[in-house]
Amino acid sequence: MNSFNEVYKEACENPEEYWAEIAEQVYWYKKWDKVIDDSDAPFYRWFVGAQTNVCFNAVDVHVEQGRGEQLAIIHDSAITGSIRKLTYLELQDQVSRFAGVLSSHGVTKGDRVIVYMPMVPEAAIAMLACARIGAIHSVVFGGFAANELAVRIDDCQPKLIVAASCGLEPGRIVEYKPLLDRAIETADYKPDACIMLQRPQCKASMTQRDFDWEEAMRVTSPVDCVPVLATDPLYILYTSGTTGQPKGVVRDTGGGIVSLKWTMKNIYNSDPGDVYWAASDVGWVVGHSYIVYAPLFNGNTTLLFEGKPVGTPDPGVFWRVISEHNVKVLFTAPTAFRAIKKEDPEGEYLNKYDISCLDSLFLAGERTDPDTLNWAKEKLGVPVVDHWWQTETGWAICSNCLGIEQLPIKDGSPTRPVPGWQLATLDEGGNEIESGEIGSLVAKLPLPPGTFPSLWNARERHFESYLKNFPGYYETGDAGFIDEDGYVFVMSRTDDVINVAGHRLSTGAIEEVLASHPNVAECAVMGVNDDLKGELPLGCIVLNSGVSRDENEIVSECIQLVRDKIGPVAAFKLAVVVKRLPKTRSGKILRGTMKKIADNTEWKMPATIDDPVILDEITESLQSMGYPKG
Ligand code: COA
Ligand code: AMP
């Protein structure tokens, strides 16, 4: 076996040879003319001229190679207390038939399809069916409000929307149909039709535009995989940027297959046939890459879990799932482990189950705090790997690559760059800074295959956001440092993105919503520390002069407005009215200073004016720093 250093060196020195050799393990209808096309640098393309199909590589290839009877998907819905299993053969049948449904609605190669579904196997079936016929899916997370769905409809203009009647949150049924109808009504662009999966917990009322999933599947005929170019988009996944307009991250077909399949063995040390569980949601990048695509490319059994780590029914649910389904690798966000640790600090529920099948735990979505890392390590007795990645990159930038060579773990670090990634820390002027000092974390171009080649319909925004500031590099938007052993430490974002329970949110987008309240003159939103969710958004609101209404009422309306416009996932429950916002002389709001003070404040949920009015503290602190200057 090659050591990590050898593999890393080879991937960096000869990227074309390295990835071309790995690409031999993928099924291609036609091989590439060029491994990397740099003719449009700094925009690069991988495996140009090649033809393949994602669905073939995820499903059909395994049936052809004799894995048809192996489980492809286990759906464990802790929230409904049900388990459903699909073999690769059954998955092929369902996917090819749903591809038939899509085709009968006129969906063809290059058309967009929005998938608005909770954690049910049909979400993966819909995604794979799109890939089967070369349609581009865009999955929208169920925790977003109608307005966010409308923004995505207008941006990607889907021919069709595939949705379910409801999602299930503890103690609450989230009816999707009213949200969907409102989104379509709000959007300028109108899709031709919606296909609705009726769940038994709640039936959606149907209009002329809507078609029933089951009925459609009964009358359709299966459709075969269509060859598409390696450079054709597989999906668009919207993520938060610095404005209210989300960024449509595009994933390539060919590079996506090559890289994700490679990561299963090399990063996660997972072999075909192993049960792999990413406890996330299909609406996030982790769900795309590690609930659906990578485990299926690798011939694993993927576990699709519907529920929460605690309270469905108790903090032992993760251990029950691991033991019952023989899970070998678990991947989730640190917040899930913080939730379990909070409910069951001694790990008593752990003793009820045999989880000796578990080989490793991978965490991502936010920095894993050493407390949580060490608690998980001690209780589970397996390596706990913090790894760093982003929607844009599609797979890990830094990780301990357990399938190559396990490196020593350093608390607070996602270890070293994965083969294919060359990182640096730069100062504002773009100069490389010495090891140990904080700067912008950047990755040398071209990025490895499977990362994003573009933003949907937004080439200029792509350039401005990621490529302009540091020519020759991809700007990750994260700040951190690299130590003398090459270990990377990711400390914070350099933009206004915050991470709430592993969910990426833009404070700018929340500010836009708050500013739309008729009584709000201006506002600032910042992420403040939270023991469970990592960060929570806090809104400081300045009212228009002359407003004499009850401030508590306005605060409640603002909180509701964010829930209605962005969705419950924003977890926006902290807001205070302040007299003014501290600013620099040039008018920039001092969010950093405000955050520091807010982090030391005990917040009640929801925050009201009875909570400490932070303006006085902010003012005091600014004065102690010498503000106002001059
Ligand atoms: N559909 C509708 N609403 C949703 C939703 C969905 N798919 N997902 C979350 N919500 C709602 C929640 O019900 C909650 O609503 P509430 O304000 O009425 O209580 C709100 O959005 C905030 O959700 P969340 O921040 O996730 O908090 P939570 O209390 O429901 O759960 C955790 C907290 C830590 C248990 C949960 O976030 C978790 O399991 N996270 C780890 C896994 C993960 O999803 N990681 C992300 C990418 S790796
Ligand atoms: P998302 O695109 O939703 O996956 O969020 C990506 C962002 O989450 C990154 O830019 C980081 O800010 C943060 N993030 C993800 N994983 C880690 C990690 N392991 N350590 C620190 N930050 C992380």
Side-chain angles (χ1 to χ4, degrees), residues 365-367 386-391 478 490 493 499 504:
E366 59 183 302
R367 179 173 173 267
D386 177 12
H387 62 331
W388 168 50
W389 54 298
Q390 311 179 309
T391 305
D478 283 310
V490 183
R493 291 283 306 187
N499 255 290
R504 176 164 156 183

Side-chain angles (χ1 to χ4, degrees), residues 196-485:
M196 298 298 306
L197 176 77
Q198 296 281 21
R199 300 191 76 187
Q201 293 78 13
C202 146
K203 295 266 178 228
S205 60
M206 305 287 270
T207 64
Q208 268 197 324
R209 188 180 52 217
D210 306 318
F211 296 83
D212 180 79
W213 174 293
E214 272 185 32
E215 266 175 49
M217 286 289 264
R218 252 198 308 275
V219 296
T220 194
S221 311
V223 160
D224 224 339
C225 295
V226 170
V228 301
L229 290 176
T231 46
D232 280 339
L234 165 63
Y235 67 75
I236 306 164
L237 178 58
Y238 288 90
T239 191
S240 299
T242 41
T243 66
Q245 179 69 23
K247 293 170 175 169
V249 170
V250 174
R251 189 83 52 221
D252 257 4
T253 294
I257 308 173
V258 173
S259 57
L260 288 181
K261 191 170 180 197
W262 177 89
T263 62
M264 287 304 287
K265 178 66 194 167
N266 289 277
I267 295 183
Y268 301 99
N269 197 22
S270 184
D271 293 308
D274 290 345
V275 181
Y276 182 95
W277 178 20
S280 177
D281 188 286
V282 283
W284 306 119
V285 67
V286 176
H288 282 62
S289 292
Y290 290 106
I291 295 174
V292 182
Y293 290 118
L296 296 180
F297 290 147
N298 199 43
N300 287 75
T301 299
T302 184
L303 203 137
L304 210 113
F305 174 75
E306 187 180 34
K308 303 271 170 178
V310 292
T312 54
D314 56 48
V317 65
F318 268 33
W319 323 135
R320 194 270 297 157
V321 172
I322 291 170
S323 128
E324 185 166 345
H325 304 299
N326 206 26
V327 172
K328 194 174 162 194
V329 178
L330 170 62
F331 174 177
T332 190
T335 187
F337 265 74
R338 284 198 297 268
I340 299 171
K341 178 173 161 244
K342 192 169 163 220
E343 295 284 308
D344 183 21
E346 301 308 320
E348 282 166 20
Y349 282 87
L350 199 49
N351 300 328
K352 297 185 181 175
Y353 301 95
D354 174 8
I355 61 156
S356 54
C357 53
L358 190 72
D359 275 1
S360 55
L361 166 67
F362 282 78
L363 298 170
E366 59 183 302
R367 179 173 173 267
T368 305
D369 55 288
D371 265 4
T372 306
L373 185 102
N374 289 322
W375 183 86
K377 210 158 60 180
E378 185 204 315
K379 297 287 179 240
L380 302 182
V382 297
V384 178
V385 177
D386 177 12
H387 62 331
W388 168 50
W389 54 298
Q390 311 179 309
T391 305
E392 289 85 344
T393 68
W395 54 284
I397 307 167
C398 284
S399 183
N400 210 325
C401 294
L402 297 193
I404 302 176
E405 180 194 354
Q406 188 179 331
L407 300 176
I409 290 169
K410 289 196 190 187
D411 283 4
S413 168
T415 314
R416 288 172 47 185
V418 171
W421 292 91
Q422 294 182 67
L423 298 190
T425 38
L426 303 185
D427 65 17
E428 277 183 14
N431 306 305
E432 204 155 324
I433 46 188
E434 283 179 25
S435 74
E437 279 178 44
I438 291 189
S440 281
L441 286 166
V442 296
K444 196 166 164 232
L445 296 173
L447 298 184
T451 51
F452 75 131
S454 58
L455 292 179
W456 184 253
N457 283 342
R459 187 178 155 100
E460 197 49 37
R461 189 175 182 195
H462 180 183
F463 181 75
E464 295 273 332
S465 309
Y466 304 105
L467 305 169
K468 187 179 160 193
N469 287 347
F470 303 114
Y473 293 98
Y474 161 72
E475 184 179 359
T476 64
D478 283 310
F481 63 92
I482 304 175
D483 76 4
E484 64 286 359
D485 299 322

Side-chain angles (χ1 to χ4, degrees), residues 489-517:
F489 291 77
V490 183
M491 305 309 288
S492 63
R493 291 283 306 187
T494 55
D495 54 14
D496 66 356
V497 164
I498 58 170
N499 255 290
V500 178
H503 308 140
R504 176 164 156 183
L505 296 170
S506 155
T507 53
I510 301 175
E511 285 176 4
E512 279 178 30
V513 174
L514 293 177
S516 73
H517 188 286

